Amino acid sequence: MTTTPSRPVFPPGLGLSAVEVLTTTRAVRRRLDLTRPVPREVIEECVRVAAQAPSGRNRQRWDFVFVEDAATRAAVADIWRRGLAVPPAGIEGPQYSRMNFGSREWTRIRISLDHLAEHLHEVPLLLIPCLRVGSRAELSTVRGQAGAWGSVIPAFWSFMLAAREHGLGTAWTTCHLSYEREMAELLGLPYDTVVQVALTPVAYTIGTDFKPGPRAEPGAFVHWDRW
Ligand SMILES: Cc1cc2nc3c(=O)[nH]c(=O)nc-3n(C[C@H](O)[C@H](O)[C@H](O)COP(=O)(O)O)c2cc1C
């Protein structure tokens, strides 16, 4: 059932501009405050913002599963760590990736990833965004996939942007999906009709000063009229 709020509710945040939020929402792994609880009201506000994202036919097929219970977080983190050890699919090469895996930038990411792996169970909240599907066959074509992922990822990213505005850090991860079914069983998700999309830690950040990250210049990826 869809409702239109009579007025948007925006509790005070950091007061960042849209461009600041868009350019400084980093993957936060080392600067997560593991000691400060995250109030549910703040999460509810971020989710309310996220729900304004577009989705195919405005079906809003997303579900946000937050894990707060300490024992469950530990079990989730254990699955995530095992997923991290599984090599990701796909070939890495200059024609395919703009990341140089021999670079200092990659070393920095690796170190921060190891830190997150060590502490994931201590993060106050873990979020797994999900998508409802008629069946997993929906994901068997590119059009089906585009409609499916496109109907949940904008909302997830909006959540991460709203979290940043409220002083919370997030980091998009997908490694646990190597064990998606096991995670579904742990959290009681119906595997056949609910697809997990990612997992992010959610915690207040240590300091709120984040800068734009290293990215290719537009000339490297913008095409006009032809490839
Ligand atoms: C689809 C996707 C999958 C990702 N998977 C992981 C992951 O499994 N583990 C992790 O620590 N970060 C993961 N990341 C985070 C990226 O490493 C991060 O977005 C990228 O390095 C840019 O970081 P920055 O915005 O802080 O510069 C993922 C990001 C995306 C969008």
Side-chain angles (χ1 to χ4, degrees):
M1 181 63 158
T2 298
T3 58
T4 307
S6 51
R7 69 176 178 84
V9 186
F10 297 125
L14 299 176
L16 302 173
S17 71
V19 171
E20 281 172 319
V21 170
L22 287 164
T23 57
T24 65
T25 300
R26 297 273 69 81
V28 186
R29 305 184 186 93
R30 279 189 287 185
R31 289 176 58 188
L32 299 169
D33 188 337
L34 306 175
T35 61
R36 185 172 166 194
V38 179
R40 285 204 179 182
E41 309 83 71
V42 176
I43 293 298
E44 279 160 15
E45 285 304 327
C46 296
V47 169
R48 193 171 285 125
V49 170
Q52 291 296 320
S55 62
R57 300 187 181 181
N58 197 22
R59 282 186 289 190
Q60 305 159 59
R61 296 190 278 155
W62 49 66
D63 282 275
F64 286 68
V65 181
F66 290 93
V67 181
E68 191 177 37
D69 172 70
T72 314
R73 269 186 290 140
V76 166
D78 178 61
I79 295 174
W80 187 92
R81 277 185 207 105
R82 279 189 280 124
L84 192 60
V86 179
I91 348 142
E92 304 293 1
Q95 78 287 7
Y96 173 88
S97 168
R98 293 191 172 94
M99 169 58 76
N100 174 359
F101 289 94
S103 66
R104 281 174 63 185
E105 164 62 8
W106 179 244
T107 307
R108 205 181 56 79
I109 293 174
R110 263 320 311 182
I111 292 170
S112 109
L113 228 163
D114 288 347
H115 180 89
L116 183 63
E118 212 174 301
H119 295 282
L120 191 67
H121 60 288
E122 299 169 58
V123 178
L125 281 181
L126 303 176
L127 162 61
I128 299 182
C130 302
L131 178 77
R132 295 176 186 215
V133 291
S135 84
R136 285 184 175 246
E138 186 180 333
L139 303 174
S140 64
T141 65
V142 169
R143 183 171 174 179
Q145 290 209 19
W149 304 130
S151 290
V152 59
I153 285 174
F156 178 46
W157 180 235
S158 288
F159 173 86
M160 293 167 82
L161 296 172
R164 160 74 176 133
E165 167 60 15
H166 286 284
L168 299 170
T170 55
W172 195 311
T173 76
T174 48
C175 53
H176 87 273
L177 296 174
S178 290
Y179 296 105
E180 188 197 358
R181 193 185 280 273
E182 202 180 322
M183 190 70 87
E185 281 164 15
L186 175 70
L187 301 175
L189 303 177
Y191 179 82
D192 292 337
T193 53
V194 173
V195 179
Q196 297 166 55
V197 175
L199 185 155
T200 182
V202 183
Y204 280 102
T205 54
I206 299 168
T208 56
D209 56 316
F210 290 90
K211 296 188 175 61
R215 297 293 191 271
E217 288 297 322
F221 58 85
V222 173
H223 310 261
W224 293 91
D225 296 330
R226 284 179 68 78
W227 181 261

